[in-house]
Amino acid sequence: MQVKLPWKETSLELEVPDTWLLVTPEPAIEPLRKEKTEDAIVEDAMRNPHGGKPIRTNQLTGKKIVIVVDDNTRPTQAHKFFHLVMEALIAAGAAMENIVVVSALGIHTPMTETDMAEKIGAHNLSGLFWENHDAFDESVNAFFGETGRGTPVYLNRHLKDADYVVLIGLIEPHFMAGFGGGMKNILPGLASAETIGKHHEMRGQFPAGPQTGRRGHGLLAGG
């Protein structure tokens, strides 16, 4: 029996035994209405952000802007809306030369220029300075203090003197941490290997762990 699965912009065809019972899940929510384009949906969300104010309402003239994007192990289609983020930043007074894009690698493999162009769009990448986070290079990570659990917090140096930080990524289920994304673009995304290692030790401490990831403390244990 042939099964076709979506994969990036294409699909994968698999051969499975005819004796298998295949169950296709139905969408749990109503699909987005087609009256709005993807750009319009993102623009609406940016005009009415939850718990914050729109990017355009900030005064960013002469300010250092750090845009953090999740790496290519995450399926965020940032190339579809990155231009809208840039337009909002420029409208708020930001200058291209004051913007740096950093990949939230954690301890993952560095992204190539092709990877980054695929992530945020080649047309968006043109003229922007970007670099991979390096969790293993002490010189590129700054000390921010220590948590109440005794974890030393070393994060990418660009965060130390940033005036405005934009996180781009997705929030998705995580088999050990409950969720991935959000502020995890900062830690572990832009943390040093030492900080990540210490933070991940909580996986072995109650109540963290795969079986209790839904609990509050367990949510902090993942990467």
Side-chain angles (χ1 to χ4, degrees):
M1 187 188 323
Q2 287 283 337
V3 177
K4 183 176 288 188
L5 302 175
W7 178 257
K8 294 187 176 181
E9 303 300 324
T10 60
S11 61
L12 296 175
E13 290 192 3
L14 303 177
E15 183 77 31
V16 300
D18 292 335
T19 54
W20 283 18
L21 173 63
L22 301 181
V23 179
T24 304
E26 295 296 326
I29 59 175
E30 183 181 348
L32 291 172
R33 295 179 178 178
K34 298 300 182 181
E35 295 100 35
K36 288 187 177 181
T37 64
E38 290 181 342
D39 277 11
I41 293 170
V42 175
E43 286 174 334
D44 284 348
M46 290 178 63
R47 277 194 295 267
N48 301 284
H50 180 73
K53 63 179 183 177
I55 293 175
R56 292 174 182 268
T57 63
N58 291 274
Q59 177 48 257
L60 301 179
T61 302
K63 305 295 186 181
K64 177 177 178 177
I65 316 298
V66 177
I67 303 177
V68 184
V69 294
D70 54 8
D71 67 10
N72 53 356
T73 67
R74 303 296 190 265
T76 309
Q77 295 183 320
H79 62 276
K80 289 188 174 183
F81 57 84
F82 192 89
H83 65 286
L84 298 176
V85 175
M86 288 299 298
E87 288 171 8
L89 289 170
I90 299 302
M96 290 284 285
E97 61 267 24
N98 292 332
I99 299 174
V100 57
V101 179
V102 185
S103 58
L105 292 177
I107 56 173
H108 295 165
T109 303
M111 295 173 68
T112 65
E113 182 129 1
T114 300
D115 293 332
M116 183 58 77
E118 182 178 314
K119 169 63 69 171
I120 69 172
H123 56 294
N124 295 316
L125 184 60
S126 178
L128 274 177
F129 174 77
W130 77 277
E131 66 179 36
N132 284 306
H133 171 63
D134 190 340
F136 302 97
D137 186 347
E138 293 182 1
S139 69
V140 303
N141 293 290
F143 183 61
F144 281 75
E146 195 172 277
T147 70
R149 294 172 183 254
T151 300
V153 180
Y154 289 91
L155 302 174
N156 188 281
R157 71 187 189 284
H158 286 298
L159 297 176
K160 195 73 171 179
D161 58 356
D163 297 298
Y164 195 74
V165 180
V166 179
L167 306 183
I168 296 179
L170 83 166
I171 297 176
E172 62 179 354
H174 191 289
F175 77 104
M176 292 196 76
F179 74 96
M183 290 299 289
K184 289 184 178 178
N185 266 18
I186 298 293
L187 201 168
L190 293 188
S192 71
E194 176 186 357
T195 296
I196 294 171
K198 183 69 175 178
H199 186 61
H200 279 53
E201 285 179 5
M202 287 189 286
R203 285 180 173 175
Q205 300 172 9
F206 181 84
Q211 74 282 8
T212 56
R214 64 184 180 276
R215 297 189 182 182
H217 291 296
L219 291 177
L220 297 175

Coordinates of all heavy atoms in Angstrom, one line a residue, residues 49-137:
P49 N -0.7 42.6 19.1 CA 0.1 41.6 19.8 C -0.5 41.3 21.2 O -1.0 42.2 21.8 CB 1.5 42.1 19.8 CG 1.3 43.6 19.8 CD 0.1 43.9 18.9
H50 N -0.3 40.1 21.6 CA -0.8 39.7 22.9 C 0.2 40.1 24.0 O 1.4 39.6 23.9 CB -1.1 38.2 23.0 CG -1.6 37.7 24.3 ND1 -2.9 38.0 24.8 CD2 -1.0 37.0 25.3 CE1 -3.0 37.4 26.0 NE2 -1.9 36.8 26.3
G51 N -0.2 40.9 24.9 CA 0.7 41.2 26.0 C 1.8 42.2 25.7 O 2.8 42.3 26.5
G52 N 1.7 42.9 24.6 CA 2.8 43.8 24.3 C 2.3 44.9 23.3 O 1.1 45.0 23.1
K53 N 3.2 45.7 22.8 CA 2.7 46.7 21.9 C 3.3 46.5 20.5 O 4.4 45.8 20.4 CB 3.1 48.1 22.4 CG 4.6 48.4 22.5 CD 4.9 49.8 23.0 CE 6.3 50.1 23.1 NZ 6.6 51.5 23.6
P54 N 2.7 47.0 19.4 CA 3.2 46.7 18.1 C 4.6 47.2 17.9 O 5.0 48.2 18.5 CB 2.2 47.5 17.2 CG 1.0 47.6 18.0 CD 1.4 47.7 19.5
I55 N 5.4 46.5 17.1 CA 6.7 46.9 16.8 C 6.8 48.4 16.3 O 7.6 49.2 16.7 CB 7.4 46.0 15.7 CG1 7.5 44.6 16.3 CG2 8.7 46.5 15.2 CD1 8.0 43.5 15.3
R56 N 5.9 48.7 15.4 CA 5.9 50.1 14.8 C 5.8 51.2 15.8 O 6.1 52.4 15.5 CB 4.7 50.2 13.8 CG 4.9 49.3 12.6 CD 3.6 49.4 11.7 NE 3.8 48.5 10.5 CZ 4.2 48.9 9.3 NH1 4.6 50.1 9.2 NH2 4.3 48.0 8.3
T57 N 5.2 50.9 17.0 CA 5.0 52.0 18.0 C 6.3 52.3 18.8 O 6.3 53.2 19.6 CB 3.8 51.7 18.9 OG1 4.2 50.5 19.6 CG2 2.6 51.4 18.1
N58 N 7.3 51.5 18.6 CA 8.6 51.7 19.3 C 9.4 52.8 18.6 O 9.3 53.1 17.4 CB 9.4 50.4 19.4 CG 8.7 49.4 20.3 OD1 8.9 49.4 21.5 ND2 8.0 48.5 19.7
Q59 N 10.3 53.5 19.4 CA 11.2 54.4 18.9 C 12.6 53.7 18.7 O 13.3 53.6 19.7 CB 11.3 55.6 19.8 CG 12.4 56.7 19.3 CD 12.3 57.1 17.9 OE1 13.1 56.6 17.1 NE2 11.3 57.9 17.5
L60 N 12.9 53.3 17.5 CA 14.1 52.5 17.3 C 15.2 53.2 16.6 O 16.2 52.5 16.2 CB 13.7 51.2 16.6 CG 12.7 50.3 17.3 CD1 12.3 49.1 16.5 CD2 13.1 49.9 18.7
T61 N 15.1 54.5 16.4 CA 16.2 55.2 15.7 C 17.5 55.1 16.5 O 17.5 55.4 17.7 CB 15.8 56.7 15.5 OG1 14.5 56.8 14.8 CG2 16.9 57.4 14.8
G62 N 18.5 54.6 15.8 CA 19.8 54.5 16.5 C 19.9 53.3 17.4 O 21.0 53.2 18.1
K63 N 18.9 52.5 17.5 CA 18.9 51.4 18.4 C 19.5 50.1 17.8 O 19.4 49.9 16.6 CB 17.5 51.1 18.9 CG 16.8 52.3 19.6 CD 17.5 52.7 20.8 CE 16.7 53.8 21.5 NZ 17.3 54.3 22.7
K64 N 20.1 49.2 18.6 CA 20.6 47.9 18.1 C 19.5 46.9 18.2 O 18.9 46.8 19.3 CB 21.8 47.4 18.9 CG 22.3 46.1 18.5 CD 23.5 45.6 19.2 CE 23.9 44.2 18.7 NZ 25.1 43.7 19.4
I65 N 19.2 46.3 17.1 CA 18.1 45.3 17.0 C 18.6 43.9 16.8 O 19.5 43.7 15.9 CB 17.1 45.6 15.9 CG1 16.8 47.1 15.8 CG2 15.8 44.8 15.9 CD1 16.1 47.7 17.0
V66 N 18.2 43.0 17.6 CA 18.6 41.6 17.4 C 17.4 40.8 17.1 O 16.4 40.8 17.8 CB 19.3 41.0 18.7 CG1 19.6 39.5 18.5 CG2 20.5 41.8 19.1
I67 N 17.4 40.2 15.9 CA 16.4 39.3 15.5 C 16.8 37.8 15.6 O 17.8 37.4 15.1 CB 16.0 39.5 14.0 CG1 15.5 41.0 13.8 CG2 14.8 38.6 13.6 CD1 15.2 41.3 12.3
V68 N 16.2 37.1 16.5 CA 16.5 35.7 16.8 C 15.6 34.8 16.0 O 14.4 34.9 16.2 CB 16.5 35.4 18.3 CG1 17.0 34.0 18.5 CG2 17.3 36.4 19.1
V69 N 16.1 33.9 15.2 CA 15.3 33.0 14.4 C 15.6 31.5 14.8 O 16.8 31.2 15.0 CB 15.4 33.1 12.9 CG1 14.9 34.5 12.4 CG2 16.9 32.9 12.4
D70 N 14.6 30.7 14.9 CA 14.9 29.3 15.2 C 15.7 28.7 14.0 O 15.6 29.1 12.9 CB 13.7 28.5 15.6 CG 12.6 28.6 14.6 OD1 12.8 29.1 13.5 OD2 11.4 28.1 14.9
D71 N 16.4 27.6 14.3 CA 17.2 27.0 13.2 C 16.5 26.1 12.3 O 15.2 26.0 12.4 CB 18.5 26.4 13.8 CG 18.1 25.1 14.7 OD1 17.0 24.7 14.6 OD2 19.1 24.6 15.3
N72 N 17.2 25.4 11.4 CA 16.5 24.6 10.4 C 16.1 23.2 10.9 O 15.7 22.4 10.2 CB 17.4 24.5 9.2 CG 18.8 24.0 9.4 OD1 19.2 23.8 10.6 ND2 19.6 23.8 8.4
T73 N 16.2 23.0 12.3 CA 15.6 21.8 12.8 C 14.1 22.1 13.2 O 13.4 21.2 13.6 CB 16.3 21.3 14.1 OG1 16.2 22.3 15.2 CG2 17.8 21.1 13.8
R74 N 13.7 23.3 13.0 CA 12.3 23.7 13.3 C 11.7 24.1 12.0 O 12.3 24.8 11.2 CB 12.2 24.9 14.3 CG 12.9 24.6 15.7 CD 12.2 23.4 16.4 NE 12.7 23.3 17.8 CZ 13.7 22.5 18.2 NH1 14.3 21.7 17.3 NH2 14.0 22.4 19.4
P75 N 10.4 23.7 11.8 CA 9.8 24.0 10.5 C 9.1 25.4 10.3 O 8.2 25.5 9.5 CB 8.7 22.9 10.4 CG 8.3 22.7 11.9 CD 9.6 22.9 12.7
T76 N 9.5 26.3 11.1 CA 9.0 27.7 11.0 C 9.2 28.3 9.6 O 10.3 28.3 9.1 CB 9.6 28.6 12.0 OG1 9.5 28.0 13.3 CG2 8.9 30.0 12.1
Q77 N 8.1 28.7 8.9 CA 8.2 29.2 7.6 C 8.4 30.7 7.7 O 7.6 31.5 7.2 CB 7.0 28.8 6.8 CG 6.9 27.3 6.5 CD 5.7 27.0 5.6 OE1 4.7 27.5 5.8 NE2 6.0 26.0 4.8
A78 N 9.5 31.1 8.3 CA 9.8 32.6 8.5 C 9.9 33.4 7.2 O 9.6 34.6 7.2 CB 11.0 32.8 9.3
H79 N 10.3 32.7 6.1 CA 10.4 33.4 4.8 C 9.1 34.0 4.3 O 9.1 34.9 3.5 CB 11.0 32.4 3.8 CG 10.1 31.2 3.5 ND1 10.1 30.1 4.3 CD2 9.2 31.0 2.5 CE1 9.3 29.2 3.8 NE2 8.7 29.8 2.8
K80 N 8.0 33.5 4.9 CA 6.7 33.9 4.4 C 6.3 35.3 5.0 O 5.4 36.0 4.5 CB 5.6 32.9 4.7 CG 5.7 31.7 3.8 CD 4.5 30.8 4.0 CE 4.5 29.6 3.1 NZ 3.3 28.8 3.2
F81 N 6.9 35.6 6.2 CA 6.5 36.8 6.9 C 7.6 37.7 7.4 O 7.4 38.7 8.0 CB 5.5 36.5 8.1 CG 6.1 35.5 9.1 CD1 6.9 36.0 10.1 CD2 5.9 34.2 9.0 CE1 7.5 35.2 11.1 CE2 6.4 33.3 10.0 CZ 7.2 33.8 11.0
F82 N 8.8 37.3 7.2 CA 10.0 38.0 7.7 C 10.0 39.4 7.1 O 10.4 40.4 7.9 CB 11.3 37.3 7.3 CG 12.5 37.8 8.0 CD1 12.9 37.3 9.2 CD2 13.3 38.9 7.4 CE1 14.0 37.8 9.9 CE2 14.4 39.4 8.1 CZ 14.8 38.8 9.3
H83 N 9.6 39.6 5.9 CA 9.5 41.0 5.3 C 8.6 41.9 6.1 O 8.8 43.1 6.2 CB 9.1 40.9 3.9 CG 7.7 40.4 3.6 ND1 7.4 39.1 3.8 CD2 6.6 41.1 3.3 CE1 6.1 39.0 3.5 NE2 5.6 40.2 3.2
L84 N 7.5 41.3 6.7 CA 6.6 42.2 7.4 C 7.2 42.6 8.7 O 7.0 43.8 9.2 CB 5.3 41.4 7.7 CG 4.5 40.9 6.5 CD1 3.3 40.1 6.9 CD2 4.1 42.1 5.7
V85 N 8.1 41.8 9.4 CA 8.8 42.2 10.6 C 9.8 43.3 10.2 O 9.9 44.3 10.9 CB 9.5 41.0 11.2 CG1 10.4 41.4 12.4 CG2 8.5 39.9 11.6
M86 N 10.5 43.1 9.1 CA 11.5 44.1 8.7 C 10.8 45.5 8.4 O 11.3 46.5 8.8 CB 12.2 43.7 7.5 CG 13.2 42.6 7.8 SD 14.5 43.1 8.9 CE 15.3 44.4 8.0
E87 N 9.6 45.4 7.7 CA 8.9 46.7 7.4 C 8.5 47.4 8.7 O 8.6 48.6 8.8 CB 7.7 46.3 6.6 CG 8.0 45.9 5.1 CD 6.8 45.4 4.4 OE1 5.7 45.5 4.9 OE2 7.0 44.9 3.3
A88 N 8.1 46.6 9.7 CA 7.6 47.2 11.0 C 8.8 47.9 11.7 O 8.7 48.9 12.3 CB 7.0 46.2 11.8
L89 N 10.0 47.2 11.6 CA 11.2 47.7 12.3 C 11.6 49.0 11.6 O 12.0 50.0 12.3 CB 12.3 46.7 12.3 CG 12.1 45.4 13.2 CD1 13.2 44.4 12.8 CD2 12.2 45.8 14.6
I90 N 11.7 49.0 10.3 CA 12.1 50.2 9.6 C 11.1 51.3 9.8 O 11.5 52.5 10.0 CB 12.2 49.9 8.1 CG1 13.2 48.8 7.8 CG2 12.5 51.1 7.3 CD1 14.6 49.1 8.3
A91 N 9.8 51.0 9.9 CA 8.8 52.1 10.1 C 9.0 52.7 11.5 O 8.7 53.8 11.7 CB 7.4 51.5 10.0
A92 N 9.6 51.9 12.4 CA 9.8 52.4 13.8 C 11.2 53.1 13.9 O 11.5 53.6 15.0 CB 9.8 51.2 14.8
G93 N 11.9 53.2 12.8 CA 13.1 54.0 12.8 C 14.4 53.2 12.8 O 15.5 53.7 12.8
A94 N 14.3 51.9 12.8 CA 15.5 51.0 12.8 C 16.2 51.1 11.5 O 15.6 51.3 10.4 CB 15.1 49.5 13.0
A95 N 17.6 51.0 11.5 CA 18.4 51.1 10.4 C 19.0 49.7 10.1 O 19.3 49.0 11.0 CB 19.5 52.1 10.6
M96 N 19.1 49.4 8.8 CA 19.6 48.0 8.4 C 21.0 47.7 9.1 O 21.2 46.6 9.5 CB 19.7 48.0 6.9 CG 18.4 47.9 6.2 SD 17.6 46.3 6.3 CE 18.6 45.4 5.1
E97 N 21.8 48.7 9.2 CA 23.2 48.5 9.7 C 23.1 48.3 11.2 O 24.2 47.8 11.8 CB 24.1 49.7 9.4 CG 23.6 51.0 10.0 CD 22.8 51.8 9.0 OE1 22.2 51.2 8.1 OE2 22.8 53.1 9.2
N98 N 22.0 48.5 11.9 CA 21.9 48.3 13.3 C 21.1 47.0 13.6 O 20.8 46.8 14.8 CB 21.2 49.5 14.0 CG 22.1 50.7 14.0 OD1 23.3 50.6 13.9 ND2 21.4 51.9 14.0
I99 N 20.9 46.2 12.6 CA 20.1 45.0 12.8 C 21.0 43.7 12.6 O 21.7 43.7 11.6 CB 18.9 44.9 11.8 CG1 17.9 46.0 12.0 CG2 18.2 43.5 12.0 CD1 16.8 46.1 11.0
V100 N 21.0 42.8 13.5 CA 21.7 41.6 13.4 C 20.7 40.4 13.6 O 19.9 40.4 14.5 CB 22.9 41.5 14.4 CG1 22.4 41.6 15.8 CG2 23.6 40.1 14.2
V101 N 20.9 39.4 12.7 CA 20.0 38.2 12.8 C 20.9 37.1 13.3 O 22.0 36.9 12.9 CB 19.5 37.8 11.4 CG1 18.7 36.5 11.5 CG2 18.7 38.9 10.8
V102 N 20.4 36.4 14.4 CA 21.2 35.3 15.0 C 20.4 34.1 15.0 O 19.2 34.1 15.4 CB 21.6 35.7 16.5 CG1 22.5 34.6 17.0 CG2 22.3 37.0 16.5
S103 N 20.9 33.0 14.6 CA 20.2 31.7 14.6 C 20.3 31.1 16.0 O 21.3 31.0 16.6 CB 20.9 30.7 13.6 OG 22.3 30.5 13.9
A104 N 19.1 30.6 16.5 CA 19.0 30.0 17.8 C 19.4 28.6 17.7 O 18.5 27.7 17.8 CB 17.6 30.2 18.4
L105 N 20.7 28.3 17.7 CA 21.1 26.9 17.4 C 21.1 26.1 18.7 O 21.0 24.8 18.6 CB 22.6 26.9 16.9 CG 22.8 27.5 15.5 CD1 24.3 27.5 15.2 CD2 22.1 26.7 14.4
G106 N 21.3 26.7 19.9 CA 21.6 25.8 21.0 C 22.9 25.2 20.7 O 23.9 25.8 20.5
I107 N 22.9 23.8 20.8 CA 24.2 23.1 20.4 C 24.0 22.3 19.1 O 24.8 21.4 18.8 CB 24.6 22.1 21.6 CG1 23.5 21.1 21.9 CG2 25.0 22.9 22.8 CD1 23.9 20.1 22.9
H108 N 23.1 22.8 18.3 CA 22.9 22.2 17.0 C 24.0 22.5 16.0 O 24.8 23.5 16.2 CB 21.5 22.5 16.4 CG 20.3 22.0 17.2 ND1 19.1 22.5 17.1 CD2 20.3 21.1 18.2 CE1 18.3 21.9 18.0 NE2 19.0 21.0 18.7
T109 N 23.9 21.9 14.8 CA 24.9 22.1 13.8 C 24.7 23.5 13.2 O 23.5 24.0 13.0 CB 24.7 21.1 12.6 OG1 24.9 19.8 13.2 CG2 25.7 21.3 11.5
P110 N 25.7 24.3 12.9 CA 25.6 25.6 12.4 C 24.8 25.6 11.0 O 24.9 24.7 10.3 CB 27.0 26.1 12.2 CG 27.8 25.3 13.2 CD 27.1 24.0 13.2
M111 N 24.1 26.7 10.8 CA 23.4 26.9 9.5 C 24.3 27.5 8.5 O 25.2 28.3 8.8 CB 22.2 27.8 9.7 CG 21.1 27.2 10.6 SD 19.8 28.4 11.0 CE 19.0 28.5 9.4
T112 N 24.2 27.1 7.2 CA 24.9 27.7 6.1 C 24.2 28.9 5.6 O 23.0 29.1 6.0 CB 25.1 26.7 5.0 OG1 23.8 26.4 4.4 CG2 25.7 25.4 5.5
E113 N 24.8 29.6 4.7 CA 24.1 30.8 4.1 C 22.9 30.3 3.4 O 21.8 31.0 3.4 CB 25.0 31.6 3.2 CG 24.4 32.8 2.6 CD 25.3 34.0 2.8 OE1 26.4 34.0 3.4 OE2 24.8 35.1 2.3
T114 N 23.0 29.2 2.7 CA 21.8 28.6 2.0 C 20.7 28.3 3.0 O 19.5 28.5 2.7 CB 22.2 27.4 1.2 OG1 23.2 27.7 0.3 CG2 21.0 26.7 0.5
D115 N 21.0 27.7 4.2 CA 20.1 27.4 5.2 C 19.3 28.6 5.6 O 18.1 28.6 5.8 CB 20.7 26.7 6.4 CG 21.3 25.3 6.1 OD1 20.7 24.7 5.2 OD2 22.2 24.9 6.8
M116 N 20.1 29.7 5.9 CA 19.5 30.9 6.4 C 18.6 31.6 5.3 O 17.6 32.1 5.7 CB 20.6 31.9 6.9 CG 20.0 33.2 7.5 SD 18.9 32.9 8.9 CE 20.1 32.5 10.2
A117 N 19.1 31.5 4.1 CA 18.3 32.1 3.0 C 17.0 31.3 2.9 O 15.9 31.9 2.6 CB 19.1 32.0 1.7
E118 N 17.0 30.0 3.1 CA 15.8 29.2 3.0 C 14.9 29.5 4.2 O 13.7 29.6 4.1 CB 16.2 27.7 3.0 CG 15.0 26.8 2.9 CD 15.4 25.3 2.9 OE1 16.3 25.0 2.2 OE2 14.8 24.5 3.6
K119 N 15.5 29.8 5.4 CA 14.7 30.1 6.6 C 14.0 31.4 6.5 O 12.8 31.5 6.8 CB 15.6 30.1 7.8 CG 15.0 30.6 9.1 CD 13.9 29.7 9.6 CE 14.3 28.4 10.1 NZ 13.2 27.6 10.8
I120 N 14.7 32.5 6.2 CA 14.0 33.8 6.2 C 13.8 34.4 4.8 O 13.2 35.5 4.7 CB 14.8 34.8 7.0 CG1 16.2 35.2 6.3 CG2 15.1 34.3 8.4 CD1 16.9 36.3 7.0
G121 N 14.2 33.7 3.8 CA 14.1 34.2 2.4 C 15.3 34.9 1.9 O 15.8 35.8 2.6
A122 N 15.8 34.5 0.7 CA 17.0 35.1 0.2 C 16.9 36.6 0.0 O 17.8 37.4 0.3 CB 17.4 34.4 -1.1
H123 N 15.7 37.1 -0.4 CA 15.5 38.5 -0.7 C 15.5 39.3 0.7 O 15.9 40.4 0.7 CB 14.2 38.7 -1.4 CG 13.0 38.2 -0.7 ND1 12.8 36.8 -0.5 CD2 11.9 38.8 -0.1 CE1 11.7 36.6 0.1 NE2 11.1 37.7 0.4
N124 N 15.1 38.6 1.8 CA 15.2 39.2 3.1 C 16.6 39.3 3.6 O 17.0 40.2 4.3 CB 14.2 38.5 4.1 CG 12.8 38.6 3.7 OD1 12.3 39.7 3.3 ND2 12.1 37.5 3.8
L125 N 17.3 38.2 3.3 CA 18.7 38.1 3.9 C 19.7 39.1 3.3 O 20.6 39.6 3.9 CB 19.2 36.7 3.7 CG 20.6 36.3 4.3 CD1 20.6 36.5 5.8 CD2 21.0 34.9 3.9
S126 N 19.4 39.5 2.0 CA 20.3 40.4 1.3 C 20.4 41.7 2.0 O 19.4 42.4 2.4 CB 19.7 40.7 -0.1 OG 20.5 41.6 -0.8
G127 N 21.6 42.1 2.3 CA 21.9 43.4 3.0 C 21.8 43.3 4.5 O 22.1 44.3 5.2
L128 N 21.5 42.1 5.1 CA 21.4 42.0 6.5 C 22.7 41.3 7.0 O 23.2 40.4 6.4 CB 20.2 41.2 7.0 CG 18.9 41.9 7.2 CD1 17.8 40.9 7.5 CD2 19.0 42.9 8.3
F129 N 23.2 41.6 8.2 CA 24.3 40.9 8.9 C 23.6 39.8 9.7 O 22.7 40.0 10.4 CB 25.1 41.8 9.8 CG 26.1 41.1 10.6 CD1 27.3 40.7 10.0 CD2 25.9 40.8 11.9 CE1 28.3 40.0 10.7 CE2 26.9 40.1 12.6 CZ 28.0 39.7 12.0
W130 N 24.2 38.6 9.5 CA 23.7 37.5 10.3 C 24.8 36.6 10.8 O 25.9 36.6 10.2 CB 22.7 36.6 9.5 CG 23.3 35.7 8.5 CD1 23.7 36.0 7.2 CD2 23.6 34.3 8.7 NE1 24.2 34.9 6.6 CE2 24.2 33.9 7.5 CE3 23.5 33.4 9.8 CZ2 24.6 32.5 7.3 CZ3 23.9 32.1 9.6 CH2 24.4 31.7 8.4
E131 N 24.6 35.9 11.8 CA 25.6 34.9 12.3 C 25.0 33.8 13.1 O 23.9 33.9 13.6 CB 26.7 35.6 13.1 CG 26.3 36.1 14.4 CD 27.4 36.8 15.2 OE1 28.3 37.4 14.6 OE2 27.4 36.6 16.4
N132 N 25.7 32.7 13.1 CA 25.2 31.5 13.9 C 25.6 31.8 15.4 O 26.7 32.3 15.7 CB 25.9 30.2 13.5 CG 25.3 29.7 12.2 OD1 24.1 29.5 12.1 ND2 26.1 29.5 11.2
H133 N 24.8 31.4 16.3 CA 25.1 31.3 17.7 C 26.2 30.2 17.9 O 26.1 29.2 17.2 CB 23.9 31.1 18.6 CG 24.3 30.9 20.0 ND1 24.9 31.8 20.8 CD2 24.1 29.8 20.8 CE1 25.1 31.3 22.0 NE2 24.6 30.1 22.0
D134 N 27.1 30.4 18.7 CA 28.1 29.4 19.0 C 28.1 29.2 20.5 O 28.6 30.0 21.3 CB 29.5 29.9 18.6 CG 30.6 28.8 18.6 OD1 30.3 27.8 19.4 OD2 31.6 28.9 18.0
A135 N 27.6 28.0 20.9 CA 27.5 27.7 22.4 C 28.8 27.3 23.0 O 28.9 27.3 24.2 CB 26.4 26.6 22.5
F136 N 29.8 27.0 22.1 CA 31.0 26.4 22.6 C 32.2 27.5 22.7 O 33.3 27.2 23.1 CB 31.5 25.3 21.8 CG 30.4 24.2 21.7 CD1 29.5 24.1 20.7 CD2 30.3 23.2 22.7 CE1 28.6 23.1 20.6 CE2 29.4 22.2 22.7 CZ 28.5 22.2 21.6
D137 N 31.9 28.7 22.2 CA 32.9 29.7 22.2 C 32.6 30.7 23.4 O 31.7 31.5 23.3 CB 32.9 30.4 20.9 CG 34.1 31.5 20.7 OD1 34.7 31.8 21.8 OD2 34.3 31.9 19.6

